[in-house]
Amino acid sequence: MNRFRGGRRGIAVLGAAVLAAGLLTNGQAGASGVLGTNGAPVPELQWGPCPAGTPERYECAEAEVPLSYRSPRGPAITLAVGRLPAADQANKLGTIFYNPGGPGGSGRIPPELTPGLHERFDIVGFDPRGVAASTPLRCFESSEQAELLGGPFPVTLAEQRQRIRDTARASALCARNAGPLLDHMSTANVARDMDLLRQAVGEERTSYYGISYGSHLGSVYANIFPERVGSLVIDAVLDPVEWTTGYRPGERFHPFSYRLGSFEGSRRALEAFFAACAAEVSCAFREPGADLAAKFDTLLDRLRKEPATITLPGGEGETEVTYQQFIGFTLGALYGAESSPVLAEFLQAVDDATDPAVRLQSPPVAALPPAAPSPGFQQDVYVGPEQGIGVFCADSDNPGNPWAWGHFARKADRKARGFGSQWTWLSLPCATWPGADRDRYTGPWNRRTPNPVLVIGNGQGDPATPYEDAVRTSRLLGDARLLTLDSFGHGARGESACIDAALDAYFVEGDLPPEGTVCEPDRGPFDAPAPTS
């Protein structure tokens, strides 16, 4: 029987409880009536060189913030902060904060976003609390222990049992080793940290660009600190209601990674790839008149029976591709439409390797598609799976029965075969996770901001954050404008001169694109890359 973990209950009464405790006073809270920075000291940033291997143009600092904003002068943790100074300091317009996604992604070394924004803004990123070079959440003493939270998603009943056992062992290790930070990992606390950093760099309002999980940080910030929103962009957007609780009461008993529907976004992106492939003579997976979706499903049938063997190019030898790996490689390639040629060659190689009608003297040759990107840049710091898990388990409602995950994975697979299991099993640790952050944020999500939020989505399908989430979030937020890229992939910045121009206009001039704007990508999925100068 599913049970709802008491430690995951909502905080609908938190505002009243905190007010009764005398914590929300003198403008120290967010305007939404929940816990703000609560008078925490503003950190002093001493900018200096970044770690070895970082480009010299970056500057780094550390910021001390409260472990708990209920005790703003109590125990503290450290944030690793990085800055890419504006190229034109004499005409600098301000600061843009950045988050690369994850959760668990390192943001300390931010990108320039666009050449125009790098010219006029300092761009500041930070490793969120518990992550990488900030005070880290650490549960494990060896890579073997950390691997208890990894591995391919289970397919057989025996694999499910082993995955559940391993995850429970990992949770027990976290309960023993993680320390108090485990109970303060929510996105709401990251938003509070970012508001202290806003004050530390001397900004009256926060300008921000966040992608993927970074979109959720943007939505949370906009609703805890609506009066502090300057220009705020969220790209590759997560629906904040699905991330936290779900829209209907019963949905809090669904795994949050099922609730999000990422598997449906993956399937939609794959269908967009099939359409592009069918229209492109050079696509290796194309067969005139063939139903490419059916061809793909046949591949899944074969791989469920036995793995395929392909030869890697460049004399790297042969490799085996299992059913789960095949799903993972396909998903990773769908993160960028520019990976379509490599994906097509990989799919066709696996098709040749598994087709009994094709007699090959040696395994077919194909490169493995790129993995789903791991955001951020770090050297010589601990980065473990618990750092991202600690965030999404703190934020979200989930079943307390780990056996529920198999049921929802099967339901998801009926809509998006393979992708359903890939995404659903991601959140299994939340069934037994020992941490719970009572200061998480679960809404409302419609607080009015002084400036509209710019919401960006990939209209042909996003394999991790469905386009429908961007549409729904643009309507959910108090004041927002939707901008669409007519392509598939995860994120729009850098994929279209139209998108990047809209970012420049929004941050520099405060101008929004017209309602209903749809931007075209700079290149199609099978176009040759632009020459580099």
Side-chain angles (χ1 to χ4, degrees):
M1 180 180 66
N2 293 357
R3 60 184 176 84
F4 179 59
R5 300 183 66 217
R8 294 285 180 264
R9 66 184 179 86
I11 54 171
V13 298
L14 178 59
V18 176
L19 280 168
L23 295 180
L24 304 188
T25 57
N26 300 323
Q28 296 167 357
S32 58
V34 297
L35 183 63
T37 55
N38 196 23
V42 177
E44 295 183 7
L45 301 177
Q46 302 295 325
W47 297 105
C50 291
T54 308
E56 291 184 1
R57 57 184 178 158
Y58 286 91
E59 302 169 340
C60 285
E62 290 187 342
E64 193 171 88
V65 298
L67 172 68
S68 168
Y69 282 89
R70 292 170 178 261
S71 302
R73 298 181 184 275
I77 57 174
T78 300
L79 304 180
V81 187
R83 176 171 68 179
L84 176 60
D88 184 0
Q89 285 288 314
N91 295 295
K92 185 177 78 171
L93 295 176
T95 298
I96 299 173
F97 286 92
Y98 165 77
N99 182 277
S106 166
R108 178 170 57 158
I109 309 300
E112 65 176 28
L113 298 181
T114 74
L117 297 180
H118 172 41
E119 187 76 13
R120 304 296 299 277
F121 291 89
D122 290 346
I123 301 172
V124 172
F126 61 101
D127 290 353
R129 55 173 51 217
V131 173
S134 293
T135 300
L137 179 67
R138 185 160 191 171
C139 296
F140 309 118
E141 298 171 349
S142 67
S143 58
E144 290 77 16
Q145 289 182 350
E147 288 170 0
L148 292 169
L149 287 176
F153 61 85
V155 175
T156 67
L157 183 58
E159 290 171 347
Q160 289 186 40
R161 288 177 180 142
Q162 188 61 51
R163 184 66 170 263
I164 289 170
R165 282 195 297 266
D166 288 347
T167 303
R169 287 178 57 202
S171 293
L173 288 167
C174 276
R176 187 171 71 200
N177 299 330
L181 182 56
L182 189 67
D183 290 323
H184 302 281
M185 288 288 291
S186 69
T187 299
N189 277 324
V190 180
R192 296 174 184 114
D193 294 342
M194 189 162 71
D195 198 64
L196 280 189
L197 293 177
R198 169 193 64 79
Q199 297 173 64
V201 300
E203 295 288 349
E204 182 179 350
R205 287 180 174 166
T206 296
S207 291
Y208 172 80
Y209 170 89
I211 182 171
S212 194
Y213 162 75
S215 72
H216 186 62
L217 174 57
S219 295
V220 170
Y221 186 90
N223 284 280
I224 295 181
F225 302 102
E227 75 287 357
R228 295 299 182 191
V229 170
S231 298
L232 195 150
V233 176
I234 53 177
D235 187 0
V237 179
L238 290 159
D239 181 327
V241 177
E242 290 178 340
W243 180 271
T244 52
T245 61
Y247 283 91
R248 294 179 290 275
E251 290 180 352
R252 61 175 45 191
F253 299 100
H254 298 178
F256 96 94
S257 56
Y258 170 85
R259 223 168 30 227
L260 286 172
S262 298
F263 50 90
E264 294 184 281
S266 300
R267 186 71 195 190
R268 184 172 175 184
L270 182 64
E271 289 166 353
F273 163 79
F274 290 152
C277 179
E280 175 55 54
V281 174
S282 68
C283 177
F285 195 58
R286 177 178 180 267
E287 289 184 18
D291 182 339
L292 297 186
K295 183 178 177 180
F296 184 85
D297 285 342
T298 298
L299 272 179
L300 296 182
D301 289 338
R302 296 174 188 163
L303 289 168
R304 281 295 299 268
K305 295 177 181 177
E306 61 178 343
T309 299
I310 63 173
T311 302
L312 300 176
E316 296 184 26
E318 297 178 357
T319 189
E320 193 174 78
V321 179
T322 66
Y323 173 79
Q324 293 101 318
Q325 290 170 330
F326 179 79
I327 292 294
F329 285 133
T330 302
L331 176 61
L334 294 172
Y335 270 60
E338 71 278 0
S339 297
S340 293
V342 175
L343 175 59
E345 292 172 3
F346 170 73
L347 295 181
Q348 188 58 46
V350 175
D351 184 70
D352 290 340
T354 58
D355 188 348
V358 177
R359 298 185 180 276
L360 300 171
Q361 292 184 342
S362 60
V365 177
L368 298 177
S374 177
F377 168 88
Q378 284 295 339
Q379 290 184 334
D380 302 326
V381 295
Y382 175 76
V383 179
E386 67 270 38
Q387 295 177 357
I389 291 167
V391 177
F392 61 63
C393 289
D395 281 351
S396 62
D397 289 340
N398 291 278
N401 177 4
W403 287 99
W405 267 257
H407 165 71
F408 285 102
R410 290 187 293 275
K411 284 186 65 175
D413 272 344
R414 287 195 285 272
K415 297 180 179 179
R417 189 175 174 192
F419 297 126
S421 287
Q422 175 86 20
W423 283 111
T424 300
W425 283 101
L426 178 72
S427 59
L428 176 66
C430 297
T432 52
W433 197 248
D437 191 337
R438 61 179 176 167
D439 295 325
R440 70 172 186 159
Y441 187 79
T442 60
W445 301 103
N446 60 351
R447 301 291 180 180
R448 296 287 295 184
T449 52
N451 302 296
V453 175
L454 181 58
V455 179
I456 308 177
N458 288 53
Q460 292 186 23
D462 186 311
T465 55
Y467 175 67
E468 292 74 16
D469 282 20
V471 174
R472 197 159 44 236
T473 301
S474 71
R475 297 168 180 164
L476 189 65
L477 297 175
D479 189 5
R481 177 69 52 84
L482 176 66
L483 175 63
T484 299
L485 176 65
D486 188 23
S487 182
F488 65 91
H490 188 52
R493 181 186 63 84
E495 300 295 328
S496 165
C498 170
I499 293 288
D500 289 358
L503 291 174
D504 289 348
Y506 176 68
F507 280 111
V508 175
E509 305 292 343
D511 294 338
L512 287 166
E515 290 271 9
T517 296
V518 178
C519 288
E520 294 300 319
D522 290 345
R523 55 183 291 250
F526 290 92
D527 290 349
T532 56
S533 56

